[in-house]
Amino acid sequence: MAINSTAAFGAGAADTLYSLPRFGNVHFLHFTDCHAQLKPMYFREPSVNLGLGDAYGRLPHLVGEHLLRAVGARPNTREAYAFTSLNFEKAAQTYGKVGGFAHLSTLVKRMRASRPDAVLLDGGDTWQGSATALWTNGQDMVDACLALGVDVMTAHWEMTLGDKRVQEIVNKDFKGKVDFVAQNIKTNDFGDQVFAPFSMKEMNGVQVAIIGQAFPYTPIANPRHMVPDWSFGIQEENMQKTVDEARAKGAKVVVVLSHNGMDVDLKMASRVRGIDAIMGGHTHDGMPAPVVVSNAGGKTLVTNAGSNSKFLGVLDFDVRGGKVQGYQYRLLPVFANILPADKEMDALITRIRAPYEARLGEKLATTEGTLYRRGNFNGTFDQLIVDALMDVKQAEIAFSPGFRWGTSLLPNSAITMEHLMDQTATTYSHTTVSNLSGAMIKTIMEDVADNLFNPDPYYQQGGDMVRVGGMTYAIDPRGKMGARIQDMRLDGKPIDADKVYKVAGWAPVAEGAQGEPVWNVVGGWLRSHKTVKARKLNAPRLIGVKGNPGLIA
Amino acid sequence: ADWQAGMFDAKSLADAVKAMGGDNYTISKDVSVSGPEIAENGAVVPVVVASAIPNTEMIAILVEKNPNPLSARFTIPAGTEASVSTRVKMGGTSNVHALVKADGKWFIASKEIKVTLGGCGG
Amino acid sequence: MGNPMRIRANVSGDTVEVKVLIRHDMETGQRKDAAGKAVPAHFIQNLVAKWNDKVVLDAVMGTSISKDPFLSFKFKGGAKGDKVSVSWTDNKGDSRTDEAVIA
Ligand SMILES: [Mn+2]
Ligand SMILES: [Mn+2]
């Protein structure tokens, strides 16, 4: 494949940012992991995203200036604001909010104006992540995606609405409009396909196949009981079969719409033949440039389009003589004050929110410091959650799951109910209080650490390290399972393996949880505090990763 | 085939293999174990064992770290493909082995399957 | 006499794919009930699948085959309308045979 444009960015000026001339004859527009963010917001990219072993120093495991250098961008620019956490507060004030479906819609329409046959792909994690998505059982996002003109989608958090609700949307709302694809979801009894494995489209006379790859570890990372009859998994062999079948049926271009996470996509691209591009999500990596992976069948592009409706990926293929001859890829950030809101989408969002505006807008407190979540080990918003949990539940230790969704707030701004829900809105956000032995706490931490740092991406689950309040610890991410977590201490004293500790948490995956929703607990705490000081981040002492370019020192 | 307590009661991989008569095995690329890298449920782990070695007459599934490693042993008559799919219980993360007998010789292939606590996600 | 099995047998070309879902507790003998009493081992030990009268799979199983066992395999030679039967025997001497017609 020839590359039409290797430069990840143009000059960066506002007026040229979105003028992306059409290239070739086959076009894909891709967004993923919007986590139900219909309105523009702030989102701070990670300052810690470690790559180990083969992943060391490679996309997506580059942050800050390391990432900018790798893609040929400069600090203190609009692009640096979109793709890194550098000077976040100042850049946020300068360049404003990002994302929002009305602004995304304008961008989609602009791209479609020059690419009328383009297919719009939704990579999943679309129907979860906001108060309105939770309160409408995903209906707000279903309606917004229909209005946006989504053609094909795959899934992850969608499944936490339950298998019946997913089927209802696929068979009613989406019927004849959106193809819901997943080669890797099968029934638990005879292993039958639950959804179509791929969708065939014709673009400018070229047959293209879009294969769906849902999040392989959905029943592990999220409650099993919400999809009791379905089995997931990476299903690499079935992926190869599906690619071969699509080619046999005449597809000249094969794209995988993936929710594997980027490291899994990179491994899959090196092993499966015949895929032109894997357009991925789940790990929320806003990657300005694709990674080109060689395999026995040729080359495969791997892209990842970030999160929170902040980006639109545009992939153009030049297909001639039945083959891809070249490509152009651009990940366009959605700057809400450059792209005007699309009127129809804006009106739809206003209608969707109207019944809930009062609840959404309740001011719970003011934050003095920046609040964000994303990063391998902890974020200030999670710190606030574990601080509140320990205080309200009178627990010595608190855990918050390593979710990668959740928007950011600038210093001295209001924390509204909507913001709190942006961090906590799941269908199983019960709080828990457990008496756990020191040994059990270590086992839990090691288990999560292996899901993040296992050297083989197929054994990783995406997500980040569990956030910890109260207890301090050290971690050697390069260690083997069981040997990464060290020096666990409470109030300076070593954790005793046999002693029992009171641990608060939320979002248990086991069935039958009853605890008060975490937004009530944290919401109550915020109302009583009114002003929240900048959080002191409880981040682990890192061992053996000095100089890692996935880390801003 | 007769059910023999000896092979199923064996407490280690080596003893179970020995009880079947296969203590001299070689690792083979023509034998395969497929299954999830991470089990969705340790009590129900789908596993496919297969052999591309001609005249494969037997395939067994062994979960190394289970209290009794041997899960099942399949006799493959002529005309049946040397590939069987079933579901096994796993007490924890372990290697899962396919042990094959073909023309009187023994071969093995292995895959690690992780059993995890769950939770979290992107 | 055990619960009925669900058997699917489909031919494609000259190969028949058989899928079997059995209902059986497959008790390991290591589990305790709610009252703390050990639940005795109860599991299928032998399974034979036949195409008409020919044995196409012969299995012996231990307690680590999952509850409600699943099996799938392929053999050559069968045709639409032929019969496939599956029989099992467990450690308490219970047994069951079911059959399906190849589709
Ligand atoms: Mn996501
Ligand atoms: Mn996800």
Side-chain angles (χ1 to χ4, degrees):
Chain A
M1 275 187 269
I3 300 170
N4 175 254
S5 163
T6 50
F9 311 111
D15 52 340
T16 61
L17 192 59
Y18 298 114
S19 62
L20 182 61
R22 169 174 179 248
F23 170 83
N25 51 347
V26 169
H27 315 286
F28 299 95
L29 308 178
H30 175 228
F31 72 97
T32 191
D33 296 86
C34 74
H35 286 283
Q37 291 302 319
L38 289 173
K39 299 286 279 182
M41 38 84 233
Y42 295 109
F43 184 78
R44 180 190 184 275
E45 297 293 333
S47 49
V48 188
N49 187 12
L50 294 171
L52 303 164
D54 290 344
Y56 181 95
R58 290 214 203 142
L59 296 180
H61 298 282
L62 297 172
V63 298
E65 296 196 10
H66 302 289
L67 176 59
L68 295 182
R69 262 199 299 278
V71 299
R74 286 173 297 114
N76 301 314
T77 58
R78 196 175 272 286
E79 290 74 25
Y81 168 56
F83 293 109
T84 75
S85 62
L86 296 170
N87 302 319
F88 174 69
E89 290 79 5
K90 186 154 183 287
Q93 274 153 13
T94 310
Y95 301 115
K97 290 187 174 180
V98 292
F101 259 51
H103 308 271
L104 177 64
S105 180
T106 298
L107 183 55
V108 167
K109 283 181 180 170
R110 276 198 200 174
M111 292 301 126
R112 278 193 157 142
S114 54
R115 297 161 174 81
D117 287 353
V119 169
L120 178 58
L121 310 178
D122 172 356
D125 281 0
T126 307
W127 309 346
Q128 176 276 343
S130 73
T132 53
L134 183 71
W135 294 336
T136 65
N137 213 3
Q139 193 64 46
D140 65 333
M141 296 311 298
V142 170
D143 294 343
C145 286
L146 287 169
L148 192 66
V150 169
D151 296 299
V152 186
M153 103 172 267
T154 195
H156 166 200
W157 273 92
E158 285 67 20
M159 300 298 169
T160 63
L161 295 176
D163 50 2
K164 291 190 177 62
R165 175 65 177 143
V166 172
Q167 292 281 33
E168 178 184 53
I169 293 167
V170 170
N171 297 328
K172 288 185 188 157
D173 303 69
F174 279 6
K175 197 167 194 259
K177 293 171 185 155
V178 181
D179 296 335
F180 192 95
V181 289
Q183 69 86 17
N184 61 332
I185 304 182
K186 307 210 171 154
T187 59
N188 269 338
D189 54 1
F190 282 117
D192 298 325
Q193 208 74 45
V194 178
F195 304 100
F198 64 91
S199 165
M200 278 286 229
K201 303 269 176 195
E202 196 183 300
M203 257 186 266
N204 296 310
V206 180
Q207 287 267 99
V208 305
I210 299 120
I211 301 173
Q213 175 80 352
F215 177 49
Y217 296 127
T218 301
I220 305 169
N222 305 100
R224 185 358 138 215
H225 62 90
M226 288 167 174
V227 282
D229 300 328
W230 298 347
S231 155
F232 294 66
I234 294 173
Q235 309 284 353
E236 185 188 89
E237 285 164 38
N238 199 56
M239 176 62 82
Q240 183 66 65
K241 268 189 222 159
T242 309
V243 173
D244 295 345
E245 188 193 331
R247 293 270 177 200
K249 284 185 175 163
K252 300 294 182 250
V253 176
V254 174
V255 166
V256 174
L257 176 59
S258 166
H259 204 95
N260 273 334
M262 191 160 179
D263 293 299
V264 176
D265 283 335
L266 290 169
K267 179 171 174 183
M268 182 175 269
S270 74
R271 292 164 59 94
V272 177
R273 303 170 307 277
I275 301 170
D276 295 296
I278 301 179
M279 305 194 81
H282 180 62
T283 36
H284 295 196
D285 303 305
M287 291 296 108
V291 175
V292 184
V293 179
S294 295
N295 54 53
K299 285 185 173 20
T300 301
L301 302 175
V302 176
T303 70
N304 202 285
S307 67
N308 285 280
S309 74
K310 189 176 164 182
F311 300 104
L312 181 71
V314 183
L315 177 62
D316 294 335
F317 278 123
D318 174 17
V319 184
R320 277 171 289 133
K323 270 185 75 178
V324 170
Q325 308 284 351
Y327 75 91
Q328 167 178 274
Y329 180 74
R330 199 71 67 89
L331 185 64
L332 297 171
V334 176
F335 291 110
N337 54 16
I338 299 180
L339 289 163
D342 176 76
K343 282 201 174 62
E344 286 162 57
M345 184 66 84
D346 205 37
L348 174 63
I349 295 168
T350 303
R351 271 204 309 281
I352 286 169
R353 293 170 59 92
Y356 309 107
E357 280 295 357
R359 265 166 98 186
L360 294 168
E362 186 202 349
K363 186 184 157 183
L364 302 168
T366 300
T367 177
E368 291 184 353
T370 304
L371 292 178
Y372 67 93
R373 168 173 277 165
R374 179 79 201 279
N376 278 166
F377 298 105
N378 203 352
T380 46
F381 224 131
D382 282 310
Q383 188 67 49
L384 186 150
I385 291 171
V386 293
D387 288 348
L389 280 175
M390 286 188 294
D391 195 6
V392 176
K393 300 290 179 188
Q394 291 296 297
E396 308 163 88
I397 297 170
F399 286 155
S400 187
F403 296 135
R404 289 191 172 191
W405 43 271
T407 58
S408 309
L409 285 180
L410 298 182
N412 303 312
S413 53
I415 306 173
T416 63
M417 194 61 189
E418 176 165 26
H419 297 136
L420 178 57
M421 293 301 283
D422 283 350
Q423 313 295 321
T424 58
T426 85
T427 50
Y428 56 101
S429 293
H430 306 279
T431 46
T432 57
V433 177
S434 331
N435 292 313
L436 300 177
S437 69
M440 189 62 203
I441 293 171
K442 162 99 155 105
T443 301
I444 292 168
M445 307 263 300
E446 289 283 358
D447 191 74
V448 184
D450 194 61
N451 283 333
L452 181 58
F453 295 120
N454 191 299
D456 183 341
Y458 280 13
Y459 291 86
Q460 298 171 1
Q461 278 178 34
D464 279 310
M465 190 64 198
V466 59
R467 280 68 171 116
V468 182
M471 186 184 81
T472 61
Y473 68 102
I475 181 169
D476 181 350
R478 306 160 310 166
K480 280 201 178 1
M481 173 91 171
R484 292 189 180 94
I485 308 297
Q486 304 168 19
D487 196 23
M488 292 159 49
R489 284 170 188 273
L490 188 63
D491 298 325
K493 283 193 292 250
I495 292 281
D496 181 343
D498 298 323
K499 206 185 146 191
V500 168
Y501 299 87
K502 190 175 175 187
V503 183
W506 65 283
V509 292
E511 199 166 6
Q514 301 278 329
E516 191 184 2
V518 68
W519 50 79
N520 281 2
V521 175
V522 178
W525 185 86
L526 287 169
R527 284 184 198 105
S528 71
H529 278 67
K530 294 194 178 62
T531 300
V532 177
K533 295 215 174 321
R535 294 289 101 186
K536 185 172 171 290
L537 204 60
N538 180 32
R541 178 164 58 84
L542 301 181
I543 300 169
V545 295
K546 198 160 183 276
N548 191 306
L551 187 66
I552 294 177
Chain B
D2 283 342
W3 194 86
Q4 293 160 281
M7 54 181 85
F8 285 104
D9 289 349
K11 300 241 179 316
S12 72
L13 180 67
D15 287 352
V17 173
K18 208 172 180 179
M20 281 186 279
D23 44 346
N24 278 312
Y25 57 75
T26 50
I27 295 170
S28 171
K29 282 201 172 104
D30 293 321
V31 176
S32 69
V33 185
S34 335
E37 282 71 20
I38 308 178
E40 291 181 5
N41 174 357
V44 191
V45 184
V47 175
V48 186
V49 289
S51 165
I53 300 169
N55 304 319
T56 293
E57 60 207 68
M58 192 284 298
I59 304 183
I61 303 176
L62 299 115
V63 181
E64 187 169 328
K65 293 201 176 150
N66 275 358
N68 304 110
L70 181 62
S71 282
R73 181 182 186 275
F74 302 98
T75 307
I76 311 290
T80 295
E81 284 184 18
S83 172
V84 180
S85 171
T86 187
R87 294 164 190 165
V88 300
K89 296 170 194 158
M90 294 181 66
T93 299
S94 172
N95 275 320
V96 176
H97 307 277
L99 181 72
V100 164
K101 187 183 183 189
D103 279 335
K105 294 200 180 75
W106 296 78
F107 305 92
I108 201 166
S110 314
K111 178 190 175 96
E112 186 183 44
I113 296 180
K114 191 163 123 178
V115 178
T116 164
L117 299 174
C120 302
Chain C
M1 273 308 290
N3 291 301
M5 291 177 238
R6 288 168 66 195
I7 305 172
R8 258 198 215 169
N10 291 309
V11 66
S12 151
D14 66 342
T15 303
V16 176
E17 183 178 32
V18 182
K19 291 184 177 183
V20 188
L21 270 169
I22 302 164
R23 280 177 62 193
H24 198 288
D25 283 346
M26 298 301 284
E27 278 295 345
T28 60
Q30 287 157 20
R31 203 172 60 87
K32 290 193 169 107
D33 66 14
K37 250 182 72 185
V39 182
H42 185 205
F43 63 103
I44 294 172
Q45 290 187 316
N46 289 84
L47 179 145
V48 174
K50 288 182 181 169
W51 157 45
N52 297 330
D53 288 327
K54 184 187 182 298
V55 172
V56 287
L57 192 76
D58 185 346
V60 286
M61 296 178 182
T63 54
S64 66
I65 290 293
S66 303
K67 177 179 162 38
D68 297 336
F70 171 80
L71 266 185
S72 167
F73 60 95
K74 290 177 181 172
F75 67 88
K76 281 198 189 336
K80 260 194 184 106
D82 290 356
K83 268 185 191 155
V84 169
S85 72
V86 178
S87 309
W88 56 254
T89 313
D90 70 22
N91 66 322
K92 292 185 176 175
D94 199 359
S95 66
R96 175 153 192 118
T97 298
D98 288 285
E99 41 179 58
V101 173
I102 297 174

